[in-house]
Amino acid sequence: QLRGVVALDGPAGTGKSTVAKRLAMVLDARYLDTGSMYRAIALAVLRAGVDPADEAKVVAVAENAVLVVGTDPRQPGITLDGDDVSSAIRGPEVSLAVSPVSATGNVRELLVAQQRAIIEDAVDHVGGIVVEGRDIGTVVTPDAPLKVYLTASAEARAARRTKQDSAAGRESTVDAALADVQRRDKYDSSRAVSPMKAADDAVELDNTDLDLSGTITALLELVERRG
Ligand code: C5P
């Protein structure tokens, strides 16, 4: 059983969510998808008819939005103002709007505070939590005993994203997925506030040539070593 936090960061399309959920199940821990929170705010922004680049209005939307995030790795899910938006936040409109929304400092402050509260509650009540995002090891829980930065080649990530999209019934091509992955990597790693990057003490794991179970095995070894 996991004690404390596993911080799992990295770019889009590494299979991070699948890996984080599976790891949480195996370790009897909770699971937090911080990307779903940024996506839900981006969806709220779009629903309000606000320009994702209009910082003041985006912050106002974020301040009024009520998010409830599920932390059971078997059934995570997220609601926005009481509405289950778990599928709606995965659409291409949200993927386009989420980078500018998540680059807004005040939005990050609001969400990071909620994330820390969720993490603290999980550690108090269950003992451990696997948290995935872009800034978990650097900003959200810099004291996490294990930080992993999961990467894979952009091509491998685009191929995985395409497979995931078609499995979920969303239209997608490898070219479009590659363009989206590269656009978001660039945006997320070059923003001024909490850019995506590996923490100095993070272990880098490249899973270009690993499947899900290979990735989980590698992570379980790291958990055991840090244990
Ligand atoms: O993980 P996912 O791809 O769903 O995240 C969507 C977007 O949310 C990312 O492209 C990034 O802009 C933002 N994000 C972030 N910080 C996090 C998690 C996600 O900025 N901790």
Side-chain angles (χ1 to χ4, degrees):
Q1 211 198 346
L2 178 69
R3 311 287 323 162
V5 179
V6 174
L8 193 60
D9 287 301
T14 53
K16 210 167 45 206
S17 292
T18 311
V19 165
K21 271 183 272 192
R22 185 68 67 90
L23 187 67
M25 284 182 217
V26 174
L27 293 172
D28 239 336
R30 284 196 191 163
Y31 160 73
L32 177 61
D33 173 4
T34 61
S36 75
M37 299 171 74
Y38 290 98
R39 285 174 178 274
I41 298 298
L43 180 65
V45 164
L46 294 175
R47 285 184 173 175
V50 162
D51 175 359
D54 185 336
E55 289 210 9
K57 286 192 181 157
V58 165
V59 172
V61 169
E63 280 170 345
N64 288 312
V66 179
L67 300 185
V68 179
V69 193
T71 58
D72 176 349
R74 285 171 183 79
Q75 209 178 26
I78 183 164
T79 64
L80 165 65
D81 301 329
D83 179 19
D84 186 339
V85 294
S86 312
S87 312
I89 58 169
R90 304 290 159 196
E93 301 83 7
V94 171
S95 295
L96 267 179
V98 70
S99 288
V101 167
S102 69
T104 306
N106 288 328
V107 171
R108 301 200 71 84
E109 249 173 59
L110 273 173
L111 293 188
V112 167
Q114 287 183 38
Q115 290 157 13
R116 288 185 179 143
I118 293 169
I119 292 166
E120 200 179 297
D121 180 74
V123 171
D124 283 352
H125 291 98
V126 181
I129 182 164
V130 179
V131 187
E132 62 148 307
R134 302 290 190 287
D135 63 339
I136 311 306
T138 50
V139 175
V140 178
T141 57
D143 297 333
L146 177 60
K147 302 176 187 179
V148 179
Y149 194 77
L150 195 61
T151 57
S153 72
E155 290 71 21
R157 292 189 282 122
R160 285 175 193 159
R161 186 47 61 89
T162 313
K163 231 169 115 181
Q164 228 175 45
D165 281 338
S166 44
R170 286 186 298 268
E171 234 175 88
S172 144
T173 64
V174 178
D175 284 349
L178 183 61
D180 179 62
V181 157
Q182 285 174 329
R183 180 186 56 78
R184 282 202 285 144
D185 287 358
K186 192 164 163 227
Y187 208 119
D188 294 344
S189 52
S190 61
R191 69 182 174 219
V193 201
S194 308
M196 167 176 79
K197 66 165 188 238
D200 291 337
D201 52 350
V203 180
E204 283 208 32
L205 179 61
D206 183 323
N207 74 354
T208 305
D209 300 316
L210 292 176
D211 60 5
L212 174 61
S213 77
T215 307
I216 295 291
T217 305
L219 286 170
L220 285 173
E221 270 168 26
L222 292 172
V223 171
E224 229 159 82
R225 237 187 285 158
R226 297 289 157 117

